Amino acid sequence: MEGLIKGLIDVAIGLNHGGGGDDDDSHSHSPSHDEHSRSTWAEVVSGEQQDEDEMIPPRRQHNDHHRHNGGQIRNQQNQWSTTGVHESNQEDTGRWQHDYDENKKGGAAEISDCWQTVQSKPSRKPQKVHLDHGDAYKRHPSEQEYSVEVEDSVQLEPSEEELADFSRACNKLWELDFNRLVPGKDYAIDCGEGKKVYSKEDMAAGSLFTWLGDDVLRRPTFSRFSSLLDNYNPHEGYKEVVTTEERQEQAAFIEEISRTAPIKYLFKYLSSKRIISENYNEFKRFLADLWFTLYGRGGTSGSSSAFEHVFVGEVKQHGEQEVSGFHNWIQFYLEEAKGRADYQGYILPRRRGQYPDSETQLLTIQFEWNGVLKSVSSSFIGVSPEFEVALYTLCFFAGEENNRIQLGPYDVNVKCYRLGNKIGSAFPVAED
């Protein structure tokens, strides 16, 4: 065990202390490709100008309206006072800061009275989400227990066809995602009704997630991923303070996912292409640096990271507030369960008849997060954390800005934007 995780000890001790653009102010002054492309992609969705970064919905037929009755996260009628969305950014920032500070103290409330919404409607009662790890993940990585490592096999070796065809390599990651959830068995979603990007009307009577299996967030990679989500200040441009315990959580997460098939395949693929060395401990340090090293965004150095932007989400402070990033279903589920995310409906596809249903695992939606609107957002549903880390890392190092690939039943364009030598943003877009 000590030999296997030896390389992570350096990560746990030294991560986020600079290097690789950590404190490079030039990142915060030079706009990324992500920022340049948002209006263009919204035009693809709606034909209008829009300042967002996602696109179009998936290709699944709207043929399944089955709803599970158990464990629903909706229709608990509580009256809430509706606060205007146009309160000052300074006041909103203070509210977010309060919850962030409470998380840092380890005493975050389920939901506070200050959450606000664009639309006036009955709130969903916040749900208790039980994460069983406690402080176990905050210990030194060498003192923690991990799941059994997936054995190397021919299945994990990239074939000549996969090395020659980037789309095949990405699809192999989909096939190797043994932890991907099964709709109707592990969880259920209710897509509600469709809407256009600029519609302010809430087209969802309830939550997106109607239930999630009790065991899902206890799975090792899911559980460790969830433990990282409350480590960040959501306001873009606010310098992050990373504690030693949080660095150890990061290092332990990398160790956990490095035992899975998608990450092992990623390593073999990148090393076969001579993008990285053949030392697996160096590869784990490489992953930790890519995803967790802080860089500048919103005018402040050390205020963001690939993990925070892509998976947690950030709130822009320039002009009218808006949500940026936030492309992960686990984060959405947890924030929705706490009453902080309000699902508003899916974005209507350009072609009629191609609507999402309860089986869809690539979804384009609209929602509010702490009263701030995300006009259009796309993400996978039910995939494992290791799959997303592997896919976006592969696209960053072996792909391009637009990566049009096949993932199982989905034609996808994985958008991957650089911010210096880091991932500025990455997310999937369903293609017609």
Side-chain angles (χ1 to χ4, degrees):
M1 175 69 69
E2 292 180 0
L4 184 62
I5 65 174
K6 182 174 181 293
L8 280 176
I9 296 176
D10 293 336
V11 177
I13 296 173
L15 196 60
N16 297 323
H17 280 301
D22 184 2
D23 292 315
D24 185 356
D25 283 325
S26 65
H27 292 320
S28 56
H29 295 300
S30 57
S32 68
H33 290 294
D34 189 11
E35 294 170 340
H36 285 309
S37 303
R38 286 181 183 120
S39 61
T40 304
W41 277 112
E43 288 169 20
V44 171
V45 180
S46 64
E48 305 174 51
Q49 283 291 334
Q50 154 69 15
D51 190 24
E52 259 303 328
D53 60 358
E54 282 83 41
M55 304 94 231
I56 52 180
R59 304 181 60 181
R60 301 296 293 270
Q61 293 294 324
H62 186 58
N63 55 14
D64 182 0
H65 295 281
H66 172 71
R67 305 293 177 233
H68 195 285
N69 291 325
Q72 292 189 346
I73 310 174
R74 59 162 160 166
N75 294 338
Q76 299 287 346
Q77 300 299 317
N78 250 352
Q79 294 297 323
W80 62 10
S81 58
T82 306
T83 312
V85 212
H86 302 294
E87 293 183 51
S88 71
N89 285 359
Q90 185 175 7
E91 183 177 354
D92 292 337
T93 300
R95 290 168 172 171
W96 280 85
Q97 187 69 39
H98 169 75
D99 291 296
Y100 171 71
D101 291 341
E102 287 298 309
N103 281 342
K104 286 287 183 182
K105 295 175 189 174
E110 283 293 324
I111 181 173
S112 70
D113 292 336
C114 70
W115 300 110
Q116 54 185 338
T117 148
V118 172
Q119 293 294 320
S120 174
K121 69 176 182 180
S123 72
R124 302 165 183 85
K125 185 178 180 179
Q127 304 294 301
K128 294 285 186 182
V129 178
H130 299 288
L131 300 175
D132 299 331
H133 53 78
D135 291 331
Y137 295 167
K138 298 180 185 295
R139 298 199 304 265
H140 194 280
S142 64
E143 299 173 357
Q144 299 190 36
E145 295 182 0
Y146 301 95
S147 58
V148 176
E149 190 165 1
V150 172
E151 294 183 4
D152 286 341
S153 66
V154 175
Q155 190 180 17
L156 299 181
E157 294 290 341
S159 67
E160 292 298 326
E161 291 79 9
E162 290 159 4
L163 289 170
D165 187 335
F166 180 74
S167 181
R168 288 193 180 191
C170 293
N171 193 56
K172 184 63 173 286
L173 290 176
W174 179 271
E175 294 172 359
L176 291 173
D177 188 13
F178 305 135
N179 274 331
R180 185 169 62 249
L181 305 186
V182 178
K185 177 184 176 183
D186 297 313
Y187 71 94
I189 59 173
D190 183 346
C191 295
E193 300 299 325
K195 64 188 301 184
K196 298 216 172 161
V197 173
Y198 302 110
S199 170
K200 298 294 184 184
E201 184 179 1
D202 189 342
M203 300 301 292
S207 301
L208 174 61
F209 284 89
T210 58
W211 61 272
L212 181 72
D214 291 340
D215 68 315
V216 169
L217 295 183
R218 296 191 184 106
R219 299 184 185 188
T221 59
F222 289 68
S223 179
R224 289 186 185 276
F225 178 89
S226 300
S227 74
L228 298 169
L229 296 173
D230 65 355
N231 290 348
Y232 298 94
N233 185 327
H235 275 287
E236 183 180 287
Y238 279 70
K239 200 174 188 72
E240 294 290 347
V241 177
V242 184
T243 67
T244 299
E245 290 181 339
E246 288 169 351
R247 293 190 190 99
Q248 292 175 173
E249 282 185 310
Q250 294 167 1
F253 170 71
I254 294 296
E255 174 61 32
E256 191 70 67
I257 65 172
S258 295
R259 295 163 175 261
T260 66
I263 299 298
K264 284 183 172 287
Y265 178 85
L266 170 69
F267 167 71
K268 291 177 181 294
Y269 187 94
L270 294 180
S271 59
S272 295
K273 290 277 192 178
R274 299 185 177 179
I275 295 172
I276 61 171
S277 76
E278 296 183 356
N279 184 303
Y280 203 50
N281 279 331
E282 287 184 11
F283 168 68
K284 287 185 279 189
R285 289 193 292 269
F286 162 89
L287 275 184
D289 176 72
L290 177 67
W291 283 98
F292 294 111
T293 294
L294 297 174
Y295 53 67
R297 197 194 296 268
T300 305
S301 64
S303 63
S304 185
S305 68
F307 187 92
E308 178 182 6
H309 183 85
V310 174
F311 298 132
V312 180
E314 298 176 286
V315 177
K316 291 184 174 181
Q317 299 301 304
H318 306 295
E320 186 176 354
Q321 286 187 313
E322 61 178 329
V323 176
S324 179
F326 200 138
H327 300 288
N328 180 260
W329 73 268
I330 297 175
Q331 166 73 339
F332 188 88
Y333 168 78
L334 291 172
E335 292 297 285
E336 187 175 57
K338 295 171 185 175
R340 298 176 182 177
D342 181 11
Y343 176 60
Q344 304 276 302
Y346 66 86
I347 301 301
L348 286 168
R350 291 181 298 173
R351 296 183 184 179
R352 292 186 179 182
Q354 296 181 347
Y355 302 112
D357 58 30
S358 62
E359 300 288 313
T360 299
Q361 292 193 286
L362 176 55
L363 197 58
T364 305
I365 65 174
Q366 184 175 109
F367 65 92
E368 296 168 11
W369 187 30
N370 192 20
V372 182
L373 186 67
K374 176 83 170 174
S375 296
V376 55
S377 178
S378 60
S379 64
F380 295 108
I381 305 293
V383 299
S384 70
E386 59 265 30
F387 166 76
E388 290 199 273
V389 169
L391 177 65
Y392 298 146
T393 302
L394 184 62
C395 288
F396 183 75
F397 284 103
E400 301 175 348
E401 185 174 295
N402 292 289
N403 301 281
R404 292 181 170 86
I405 58 178
Q406 182 80 25
L407 293 176
Y410 303 105
D411 292 320
V412 186
N413 181 11
V414 177
K415 303 288 290 184
C416 191
Y417 295 108
R418 293 179 176 273
L419 202 56
N421 63 345
K422 302 298 180 189
I423 296 175
S425 188
F427 50 88
V429 181
E431 299 234 289
D432 281 342

